[in-house]
Amino acid sequence: MGIVEEAQNVKILGSGNQTIVLAHGFGTDQSVWKHLVPHLLDDHRIILFDTMGAGTTNPDYFDFDRYSTLEGYAYDVLAILEELQVQSCIYVGHSVSAVIGAIASVNRPDLFTKLIMISGSPRYLNEVDYYGGFEQEDLNQLFEAMASNYKAWCSGFAPLAVGGDMESVAVQEFSRTLFNMRPDIALSVAQTIFQSDYRYMLGHVTVPCHIIQSMKDLAVPVVVSEYLHQHLGGQSIVEVMSTEGHLPQLSSPDVVIPVILRHIRHNIAT
């Protein structure tokens, strides 16, 4: 096993000619894909990994400079593909990993046959001509809450993000993986994500993109999916699901898993 594989807990499951990379979002780890993986095992080679900073990774490996931009994570994705000698893959990215995959595809479009972007956003802050969902003051309060009492912040943020009450299994699951992160790393990662702006890059993404989004999502307003569709450089398609929350693959698997599988199996009609 290579250094990158070990550091990021890379797992390879299933068998088949088609390789699928599953990349999780902020506050989760590869376990967020537990409802999807069984449906892919028979006819796909699945690559799972944890992004650096996730609670399942060694915090000593987290380089605050490297991961102060999303490019650091994109280079990790490319390093994993290189170490595993992957020639081409379908990349499924949730939340921030949707944009991380897009950055990676700009660097190496040959490695990606398509990107499936779930709850992704190129920009979380509102601007005069753009609605991202957050004002700077909202984010400052979020960062302050994380810094002052991380455990309390996790307890409050998890149900808001998932869109359920504290009793739901999905909320408990997200609370667990969120709380597993080292607080200073979680704050740094959140600042990197929420302050980022990758709108300028979208026109350079030429790989076909399948944009999947919940109807109601605390972190990503539904108009963002249309913005992605309009500004990506290659072909794209949007599907807004009747789900609520930022982690629909965890909270509404019965609705979401068939949608993801359909987008994995069908290409955008030319």
Side-chain angles (χ1 to χ4, degrees):
M1 185 178 266
I3 295 168
V4 178
E5 288 174 75
E6 196 173 342
Q8 303 202 245
N9 304 320
V10 173
K11 288 190 185 72
I12 302 163
L13 304 172
S15 59
N17 296 327
Q18 181 69 68
T19 297
I20 295 185
V21 175
L22 301 178
H24 67 83
F26 169 69
T28 59
D29 57 41
Q30 60 187 261
S31 67
V32 80
W33 301 112
K34 64 185 178 183
H35 298 296
L36 175 63
V37 167
H39 298 277
L40 298 172
L41 284 172
D42 289 345
D43 45 7
H44 297 88
R45 179 183 182 226
I46 308 162
I47 297 174
L48 290 157
F49 68 99
D50 297 326
T51 58
M52 291 310 297
T56 42
T57 60
N58 183 341
D60 294 342
Y61 290 157
F62 188 81
D63 181 329
F64 284 87
D65 286 338
R66 178 183 175 89
Y67 301 111
S68 63
T69 68
L70 300 187
E71 279 81 358
Y73 298 98
Y75 293 135
D76 285 351
V77 169
L78 295 175
I80 289 168
L81 296 179
E82 187 178 330
E83 228 167 64
L84 298 178
Q85 298 182 323
V86 173
Q87 305 299 314
S88 100
C89 71
I90 292 172
Y91 176 96
V92 182
H94 171 242
S95 188
V96 64
S97 280
V99 175
I100 289 166
I103 298 167
S105 80
V106 171
N107 283 276
R108 288 291 305 277
D110 55 302
L111 294 178
F112 301 88
T113 53
K114 70 170 89 164
L115 303 177
I116 296 175
M117 311 171 94
I118 305 168
S119 314
S121 175
R123 173 71 163 167
Y124 295 88
L125 271 171
N126 299 329
E127 288 192 15
V128 177
D129 57 346
Y130 176 80
Y131 184 66
F134 293 90
E135 296 293 341
Q136 187 61 55
E137 193 179 325
D138 302 329
L139 295 182
N140 291 344
Q141 288 174 358
L142 182 143
F143 301 146
E144 282 167 25
M146 289 181 78
S148 62
N149 188 334
Y150 183 64
K151 188 173 186 179
W153 176 80
C154 290
S155 300
F157 183 73
L160 287 174
V162 174
D165 59 64
M166 273 316 283
E167 302 308 309
S168 85
V169 175
V171 170
Q172 290 173 4
E173 181 72 7
F174 185 48
S175 299
R176 179 186 67 80
T177 54
L178 199 57
F179 189 61
N180 274 347
M181 294 183 78
R182 204 172 78 185
D184 59 330
I185 291 175
L187 176 59
S188 176
V189 173
Q191 288 170 330
T192 295
I193 294 169
F194 281 115
Q195 300 287 170
S196 67
D197 187 353
Y198 284 91
R199 291 174 297 172
Y200 70 91
M201 180 211 65
L202 299 177
H204 301 289
V205 180
T206 55
V207 172
C209 292
H210 296 241
I211 303 155
I212 304 172
Q213 157 111 34
S214 285
M215 201 164 53
K216 189 177 174 191
D217 181 339
L218 162 91
V220 185
V222 80
V223 291
V224 170
S225 57
E226 191 55 37
Y227 183 91
L228 285 169
H229 180 51
Q230 298 294 340
H231 290 84
L232 285 161
Q235 288 185 304
S236 61
I237 188 171
V238 176
E239 181 158 354
V240 178
M241 302 176 292
S242 61
T243 51
E244 286 194 18
H246 190 59
L247 294 95
Q249 74 275 44
L250 205 57
S251 57
S252 307
D254 295 352
V255 175
V256 177
I257 301 310
V259 172
I260 298 174
L261 291 172
R262 192 171 73 248
H263 284 280
I264 284 172
R265 286 165 183 154
H266 299 293
N267 295 322
I268 300 171
T270 49

